[in-house]
Amino acid sequence: MAPWWGQEARGGGVSGGGTPVVVKMQTPDWAISEVPPPGSPGAAGGKDGRGKNARQITWVLLLKAHRAAGKLTGAASAALSVAAAARRRVAAGRTDSDADADADGAPREESPALRARFYGFLRAFLLFSMLLLAVDVAAHAQGWHLPAAVPDLEDVQGLFAAAYGSWMRARVAYLGPALQFLTNACVVLFMIQTADRLILCLGCFWIKLRGIKPVPNAAAAAGKGADDVEAGLQDFPMVLVQIPMCNEKEVYQQSIGAVCNLDWPRSNFLVQVLDDSDDVVTSALIKEEVEKWQREGVRILYRHRVIRDGYKAGNLKSAMNCSYVKDYEFVVIFDADFQPQEDFLKLTVPHFKGKEDVGLVQARWSFVNKDENLLTRLQNINLCFHFEVEQQVNGAFLNFFGFNGTAGVWRIKALEDSGGWMERTTVEDMDIAVRAHLKGWKFLYLNDVECQCELPESYEAYRKQQHRWHSGPMQLFRLCFMDIIKSKIGFWKKFNLIFLFFLLRKLILPFYSFTLFCVILPMTMFAPEAELPIWVVCYIPATMSLLNILPAPKSFPFIVPYLLFENTMSVTKFNAMISGLFQLGSAYEWVVTKKSGRSSEGDLVALIENEKQPKHLRVGSAPNLDSLAKEESRPKVDPKKKKHNRLYRKELALSFLLLTAAARSLLSVQGIHFYFLLFQGVSFLLVGLDLIGEQVTE
């Protein structure tokens, strides 16, 4: 039967006769296959028709072959580029332990002694697994791997046979049961974590279905209309806006400019730029930017601390001790890379009116560089789930969640009642949130109010950020555990804080992820007496990844890289968790996450509109050429502190361990285990070679 585009449409002629009318569809010439009239040479399978069809098929096949060759060429080119980058990394020899500080002088995220011990353990584990692989291959060649062959080994002469027989009996009697017990324990923790994630997703679905969201007081919302110019200033409470920053030359202009353009009566809000920079050039540029906005009539102050006691917490604490703070009712915090929309205050502050027990209103983050590279895409998946599901569900049903440290509005009374900012941990935002919750204050989360910011684009910056985010909660748990027990909040709130908020999501998650997929799974290949079910290796992780990716549906093509990368990051998270829990290494050091200064689409539009205005009406934050010229005249940064891609030894060691276990799994004919170990090993290898994220031109 001819295809639809080559069929004839037959009907009566114009004069009503029986002459057939052929209607040709508008299709490419190579796709047109007309059915010839009866009796013609090409009718009924004539030679001309067959020749024409053969030529069409030939052209289609050639076109497909050309496309396939193009894809293969692209894949080969990408593989060669990756191989060349890997060779450069190895030749350069720069590792995660070859420098005492990064490009801006920030300290390491862990001590050299702790790093050496952990790396030594992984290296010994790797050597042991390679030895076992060699022994198992030799035994497999002799047929000794079969269970029935274990008793027969006693009759075989030779030291190797005796040693292998002893190893087999030890596996059956001791190693197998112990490993199986640890496997079962991790599987139980895994199932609890899966249930928690599923409940959160169901809660989010219920919120969407019922349209549940915080609603401001009707009078407050009406008083903040865009056309309500004549509304009294009493409808606009006094707001203090704080921008803490430290050596963030790339982003200070856009953040200060966005905050100064907030739609709020200028007499009713004050901006504090809290500069902890130790770079003289950066401090001078920030101060000049503040003075420029002061000349525009904005109430903005510049504060600089020479001694950075307490890092960000100390900076905020120092600013709150100013005498004029008592004149303000609310305080808003924006990190240096955050760019709030003009109506941010009008969308958040009204939620406090008539709700005296509300201490915090948190907005959602959005990211200007989420599509910059694979690393930022994978981070976006995690953070979309965090804000869309975790924060929204906890805010709607528990009125409690972890403060995100920025893009939030605090009632100053709640801060003071909770003890103010404390420098005892590196997660001062979570610390103040827990203490405020213990005092009975409620939190509101606004999922439809977004504030744009940046994601770390390099693996080094992301790794340091994750180390701080996972060591800090364990520090805080040690410090506030007894306070939670002694507090007057209800039993279920204590249970939520201790078991769900701290233990399950901050301790158990990195523990079982690392132990189950990076230790137990490879060991079960060398000790088959302990079995890890296929549904634990494949189906449950796939389901978890699917749930995590639901809030970011455009990221579905990255579901497999996301699953592998999360397991890869479990090494850093597990190490950080242990460091914070037992106060090891530099658990109390603060490392500022490097920014690249990405501008949002809104910034570009505002800049274009600003250029159209008369010069005396412009309020944008354009770069000062004199300042830039002065900066260029400064001595250049020491090239030894230049940013580089590095080799990460722990990730590389685990890569070879997993690949060794994958090779061993072939002897046991464990198909799904082999593929999981293979791809996970390759994932560790790519991360260990720093081939994910920003690539620095050497």
Side-chain angles (χ1 to χ4, degrees), residues 193-214:
Q193 174 68 29
T194 304
D196 174 62
R197 196 60 56 96
L198 182 60
I199 292 172
L200 286 174
C201 290
L202 291 176
C204 182
F205 174 75
W206 181 256
I207 289 173
K208 297 293 184 183
L209 183 65
R210 306 291 295 181
I212 302 173
K213 65 178 182 178

Side-chain angles (χ1 to χ4, degrees), residues 1-17:
M1 180 178 179
W4 64 270
W5 59 77
Q7 291 180 353
E8 296 177 351
R10 299 183 180 274
V14 176
S15 61

Side-chain angles (χ1 to χ4, degrees), residues 450-469:
E450 297 185 359
C451 189
Q452 292 187 323
C453 62
E454 284 189 19
L455 292 167
E457 295 182 7
S458 69
Y459 178 67
E460 182 180 11
Y462 180 64
R463 187 169 178 256
K464 291 179 178 179
Q465 181 197 69
Q466 292 300 304
H467 188 277
R468 177 168 58 86
W469 284 5

